[in-house]
């Protein structure tokens, strides 16, 4: 009789545990990896020929199976060269840049379908994202075999009194928006694929925006220096450089942008408590 009673209790205990294990926390932790593409003064045609690595980590909190908030830290390599273009003017202009972007963001996610990890009837959903964030940007080029940062050089005259209004910050606001699709591979293990576009509230991710100011601002003693070379590395035609004072160097009518396409892998831990008393969670 004693063994029978213990057996019944064990079965009841396993049933309770199995039922409890159907719940997962609202909290989710994940990583992401993919590629980034820059759009701006050196890539005005939105070409996708030179995608560079991107990655990051994030925390997601589910308000309900349709709406969540994602806090993330991301890294993206951006870069482009005028020599990639088929445009003759750009080839002559011969500008280039690289930029290792660091960003922090808060993004709202909106699922089209009800999504609950571990529930076979709620296995996948397309979703949209919209948010706000901050990015750290510091454009550079490789010059004479060394990494040379462009902002301190003031390539558009920022270090001179007449053009000080062109100075730009390394930290700027950015606005991400995009879409994706996610599914759970196993209870508590979620996989996603997404494409998220970023509007950077600066036109200087590439250190190019307005007009040339003329080489005289960079060579007060008549001696060429790093700034004078990099502000106008154009190919000489008939003995003339392209970068004469007042001539267009970039297009300040638009801000710089970049797009990140990535795969996300995230995890939710099991809990013995229902995530909420709200009936929207209670249909496992």
């Amino acid at each position: 009789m004693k063994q029978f009673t213990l057996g019944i209790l064990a079965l009841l205990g396993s049933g309770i545990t199995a039922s409890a294990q159907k719940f997962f926390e609202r909290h989710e932790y994940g990583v992401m990896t993919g590629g980034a593409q820059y759009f701006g003064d050196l890539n005005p045609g939105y070409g996708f020929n030179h995608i560079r690595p991107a990655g990051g980590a994030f925390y997601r909190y589910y308000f309900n199976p349709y709406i969540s908030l994602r806090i993330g830290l991301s890294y993206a390599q951006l870069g482009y060269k005028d020599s990639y273009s088929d445009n003759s003017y750009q080839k002559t202009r011969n500008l280039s840049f690289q930029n290792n972007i660091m960003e922090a963001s808060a993004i709202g996610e909106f699922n089209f379908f009800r999504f609950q990890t571990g529930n076979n009837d709620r296995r996948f959903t397309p979703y949209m994202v919209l948010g706000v964030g901050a990015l750290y940007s510091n454009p550079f080029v490789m010059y004479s075999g060394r990494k040379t940062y462009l902002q301190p050089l003031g390539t558009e005259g920022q270090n001179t009194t007449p053009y000080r209004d062109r100075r730009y910050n390394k930290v700027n606001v950015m606005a991400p928006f995009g879409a994706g699709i996610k599914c759970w591979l196993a209870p508590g293990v979620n996989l996603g694929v997404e494409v998220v576009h970023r509007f950077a509230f600066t036109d200087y991710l590439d250190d190019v925006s307005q007009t040339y100011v003329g080489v005289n601002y960079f060579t007060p003693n008549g001696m060429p220096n790093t700034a004078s070379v990099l502000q106008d590395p154009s190919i000489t035609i008939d003995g003339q450089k392209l970068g004469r004072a007042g001539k267009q160097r970039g297009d300040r009518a638009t801000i710089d942008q970049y797009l990140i396409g990535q795969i996300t892998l995230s995890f939710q831990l099991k809990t013995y408590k229902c995530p909420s008393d709200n009936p929207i969670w209670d249909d496992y």
Side-chain angles (χ1 to χ4, degrees):
M1 183 65 180
K2 181 178 179 181
Q3 291 178 342
F4 177 78
T5 303
L6 290 173
I8 294 297
L9 290 174
L11 287 173
L12 288 173
S14 63
I16 292 170
T17 302
S19 176
Q21 288 178 342
K22 291 182 179 178
F23 297 122
F24 289 85
E25 292 184 352
R26 292 171 178 258
H27 311 283
E28 187 174 353
Y29 309 91
V31 293
M32 44 199 175
T33 184
Q37 177 65 59
Y38 145 87
F39 310 112
D41 298 283
L42 276 66
N43 184 21
Y46 293 87
F48 282 88
N49 297 329
H50 299 277
I51 298 173
R52 294 169 180 251
F58 65 90
Y59 161 78
R60 179 185 284 133
Y61 178 82
Y62 286 93
F63 294 101
N64 58 51
Y66 296 96
I67 299 175
S68 58
L69 175 67
R70 189 171 83 193
I71 306 296
L73 295 174
S74 298
Y75 168 83
Q77 292 183 9
L78 305 181
Y80 218 77
K81 297 180 179 181
D82 274 337
S83 59
Y84 297 156
S85 175
D86 294 329
N87 182 282
S88 59
Y89 174 79
Q90 283 189 243
K91 285 186 176 296
T92 302
R93 185 176 63 175
N94 198 35
L95 292 171
S96 65
F97 85 101
Q98 297 182 61
N99 203 338
N100 296 328
I101 301 291
M102 297 293 296
E103 66 174 41
S105 61
I107 298 176
E109 292 189 4
F110 310 93
N111 297 334
F112 286 94
F113 306 148
R114 185 189 185 97
F115 179 76
Q116 290 175 300
T117 186
N119 185 336
N120 284 317
D121 295 327
R122 315 293 184 187
R123 188 151 196 158
F124 77 96
T125 181
Y127 62 92
M128 294 184 64
V129 299
L130 179 65
V132 67
L135 63 85
Y136 174 83
S137 161
N138 198 8
F140 66 92
V141 296
M142 299 304 297
Y143 177 64
S144 296
R146 300 179 59 184
K147 181 185 289 188
T148 302
Y149 289 98
L150 297 170
Q151 189 213 39
L153 302 181
T155 56
E156 293 192 350
Q158 292 94 336
N159 295 335
T160 66
T161 300
Y163 299 100
R164 65 175 58 188
D165 61 324
R166 297 183 178 184
R167 293 177 181 174
Y168 60 92
N169 296 319
K170 295 179 181 178
V171 177
N172 293 276
V173 175
M174 65 90 180
F177 76 94
I181 187 168
K182 60 186 172 184
C183 67
W184 58 266
L185 302 178
V189 182
N190 304 323
L191 178 72
V193 178
E194 66 179 29
V195 177
V196 181
H197 195 94
R198 274 85 164 166
F199 282 108
F201 285 73
T202 175
D203 194 31
Y204 280 105
L205 293 184
D206 47 20
D207 192 61
V208 182
S209 178
Q210 300 193 41
T211 60
Y212 293 97
V213 298
V215 70
N216 291 337
Y217 279 101
F218 301 93
T219 55
N221 299 319
M223 297 295 294
N225 53 38
T226 301
S228 67
V229 172
L230 295 182
Q231 63 89 28
D232 179 21
S234 61
I235 299 170
T236 303
I237 298 178
D238 296 330
Q240 294 290 324
K241 297 285 280 183
L242 185 66
R244 296 180 292 276
K247 190 173 182 63
Q248 197 66 32
R249 189 171 188 262
D251 180 9
R252 65 175 180 174
T254 59
I255 57 178
D256 290 335
Q257 308 162 46
Y258 58 103
L259 180 146
I260 298 180
Q262 57 197 359
I263 297 172
T264 68
L265 182 65
S266 53
F267 304 89
Q268 289 174 261
L269 301 178
K270 292 180 180 179
T271 177
Y272 294 104
K273 297 181 179 179
C274 180
S276 172
D277 292 331
N278 189 331
I280 199 170
W281 286 93
D282 302 337
D283 69 342
Y284 284 95

